[in-house]
Amino acid sequence: LEPNAAFVLHGIALMLVFLLHACRQFPGCGNIVTFSQFLFIAVEGFIFEANFGRKRPAIPIRYYFIMVAMFFTVSVVNNYALNLNIAMPLHMIFRSGSLIASMALGVIILKKRYSVFKYTSIALVSLGIFTCTFMSAKQVASDSSLNEEDGLQVFLWWLLGIAALTFALLMSARMGIFQEMLYKQFGKHSKEALFYNHALPLPGFLLLAPNIYHHAVLFSQSELFQVPVIGLTLPIMWFYLFMNVITQYVCIRGVFILTTECTSLTVTLVVTLRKFVSLIFSILYFRNPFTSWHWLGTAFVFVGTLMYTELWNSLGPFLARWRKRPKKE
């Protein structure tokens, strides 16, 4: 199981490097990146999962259309948030609040009840996100390079970005609950869901065609880059995009392997580590501004997430067995 987890984390780390390179040069390129990822996964799924359209879906197609509408909305809103003065580290930390949204909607929709320990973990995550959000707001509001009018305008766009992230967070949690209910009714079909979640939204990208075409032109005008080994020369932004799509595919396939072979605790821990790896890459590799308050908020987010997974309960028996091992002479 460990190699699978490492496989996912290495793929995510590589994917983030190429994504951040692209976003650093063209902050609004999220749509062309998402479209490329969707197209690649849809083509692969059409060939190997849908058998060129000859295999009937196990879950009725109408449910996939509902799921896809939510999935497409979440992806687009998260992409546009980066254009609203939302820094990449804050974007990642804010999306770490998926536990909060899932728990809240689980209580409201599914009438679930949780232990005090889990509620405490959610409170920690909430405190961490609030700390990072508040400190980022102070940074935006106190930018001395802006006059009063421009500073107010930037801050209002930032507030709109926060609203967009909040909406996407809640919509993503609702989609998870909807998918959970479908799996209970029709059984688990993760590969099928992966294919339809990426194939059905493709016509929706027609609405974003001008933006995608615009960035395709910008990508073609970027500096030339010679690909190692094969010696092919192409614009460097297309190389970043191609590598991002490949590594994204590796990540999704790796997560699928984990969900089918590992316990839910292992999968949750890998997802938590993914967020940590992504955050560290964003801050250290690209030297994004990050204060001690941001680090404190980040610590709250990840400690709260680990508490939610009840890692300590699993470590207790393991440590007890380790202590009882006979010592070598």
Side-chain angles (χ1 to χ4, degrees):
L1 300 182
E2 290 81 1
N4 288 333
F7 185 69
V8 173
L9 291 174
H10 280 91
I12 287 166
L14 289 172
M15 179 196 68
L16 188 72
V17 168
F18 296 115
L19 176 61
L20 289 176
H21 268 300
C23 289
R24 194 179 191 185
Q25 296 190 42
F26 301 103
C29 70
N31 288 325
I32 190 173
V33 172
T34 302
F35 170 71
S36 301
Q37 294 171 351
F38 274 46
L39 180 63
F40 183 86
I41 295 173
V43 170
E44 188 275 340
F46 181 73
I47 296 172
F48 297 104
E49 173 60 24
N51 193 18
F52 296 95
R54 291 192 290 266
K55 179 182 177 182
R56 293 175 59 86
I59 298 176
I61 198 72
R62 63 180 182 275
Y63 294 116
Y64 281 121
F65 274 109
I66 298 174
M67 192 186 307
V68 159
M70 293 187 283
F71 187 67
F72 184 77
T73 301
V74 169
S75 298
V76 172
V77 171
N78 275 325
N79 285 337
Y80 273 114
L82 292 173
N83 294 333
L84 300 172
N85 298 322
I86 299 296
M88 183 67 80
L90 178 60
H91 192 276
M92 295 173 184
I93 294 170
F94 205 95
R95 292 177 68 179
S96 297
S98 55
L99 289 176
I100 308 171
S102 297
M103 175 174 277
L105 293 187
V107 171
I108 296 172
I109 298 175
L110 301 179
K111 310 300 181 184
K112 289 185 177 181
R113 293 294 179 267
Y114 300 95
S115 65
V116 175
F117 193 76
K118 286 189 180 288
Y119 283 120
T120 303
S121 70
I122 294 304
L124 272 177
V125 175
S126 303
L127 180 60
I129 291 178
F130 172 79
T131 301
C132 293
T133 304
F134 179 74
M135 295 310 298
S136 293
K138 287 184 64 177
Q139 287 179 351
V140 172
S142 62
D143 191 341
S144 59
S145 65
L146 300 169
N147 59 42
E148 184 176 350
E149 181 179 355
D150 290 339
L152 177 60
Q153 183 179 12
V154 168
F155 182 70
L156 291 176
W157 279 112
W158 179 87
L159 286 179
L160 182 60
I162 294 297
L165 287 177
T166 303
F167 171 80
L169 198 64
L170 293 174
M171 179 66 75
S172 179
R174 182 64 183 90
M175 182 180 68
I177 291 176
F178 181 74
Q179 188 169 341
E180 180 182 340
M181 295 169 67
L182 285 182
Y183 283 167
K184 285 183 179 180
Q185 183 176 355
F186 299 101
K188 292 186 176 182
H189 302 279
S190 300
K191 290 186 67 176
E192 179 184 287
L194 179 65
F195 165 63
Y196 283 104
N197 278 342
H198 288 80
L200 294 180
L202 287 178
F205 283 100
L206 291 173
L207 300 174
L208 308 172
N211 180 270
I212 294 173
Y213 176 77
H214 172 68
H215 282 90
V217 173
L218 293 177
F219 279 20
S220 299
Q221 295 172 349
S222 61
E223 63 178 297
L224 295 179
F225 173 78
Q226 186 173 15
V227 182
V229 182
I230 63 175
L232 178 67
T233 300
L234 73 165
I236 193 169
M237 293 304 297
W238 285 114
F239 173 73
Y240 289 153
L241 179 62
F242 175 77
M243 294 304 297
N244 175 265
V245 168
I246 297 300
T247 50
Q248 169 75 1
Y249 174 74
V250 169
C251 294
I252 291 181
R253 295 290 295 182
V255 169
F256 170 74
I257 293 172
L258 285 174
T259 56
T260 54
E261 295 185 3
C262 302
T263 64
S264 59
L265 176 62
T266 302
V267 177
T268 305
L269 285 177
V270 171
V271 171
T272 303
L273 288 174
R274 180 205 68 180
K275 295 168 184 174
F276 180 74
V277 169
S278 299
L279 184 63
I280 294 302
F281 261 91
S282 174
I283 295 167
L284 300 182
Y285 191 85
F286 291 100
R287 299 179 182 178
N288 284 308
F290 220 65
T291 68
S292 57
W293 285 103
H294 285 95
W295 280 115
L296 180 62
T298 302
F300 283 146
V301 168
F302 289 111
V303 169
T305 304
L306 290 174
M307 287 179 62
Y308 183 86
T309 63
E310 298 183 357
L311 176 64
W312 332 118
N313 294 340
S314 299
L315 286 177
F318 172 79
L319 292 175
R321 290 195 301 269
W322 184 79
R323 291 193 189 99
K324 291 180 180 178
R325 286 190 315 174
K327 296 183 179 180
K328 295 181 180 181
E329 295 294 337

